[in-house]
Amino acid sequence: RDGLAARPNLIKPNRSELAELTGCSAQTVDDAYRQALSLQRAQGVDLIVTLGHDGALALVGDRHYRIPALPVK
């Protein structure tokens, strides 16, 4: 939270860090997306949210992407 006070352009929280920032846990990818969108709108910051085996979400301006996880061998 302290880092947001510096008004960064982009942050890269993982699922648990996103929960810390928003006060809500993200049980699903849809939950994470809604929380990230809320944070983007409230703080004016773009996000890349890493979600482990669920991949990642990128919210950059008005472009939003779901990035699948790569298979690990």
Side-chain angles (χ1 to χ4, degrees):
R1 289 184 187 234
D2 293 337
L4 288 176
R7 308 288 298 159
N9 294 324
L10 176 76
I11 61 173
K12 192 201 67 64
N14 60 33
R15 191 185 304 254
S16 61
E17 292 166 336
L18 181 64
E20 278 184 42
L21 291 170
T22 62
C24 301
S25 66
Q27 299 300 318
T28 67
V29 174
D30 288 339
D31 290 343
Y33 174 72
R34 285 190 292 274
Q35 291 169 13
L37 183 58
S38 175
L39 189 59
Q40 183 190 42
R41 289 177 176 165
Q43 297 292 328
V45 62
D46 293 334
L47 296 95
I48 297 173
V49 181
T50 57
L51 301 170
H53 68 275
D54 288 325
L57 298 170
L59 287 76
V60 182
D62 61 351
R63 295 181 179 170
H64 301 166
Y65 305 94
R66 179 165 182 203
I67 305 159
L70 298 174
V72 178
K73 297 180 181 182

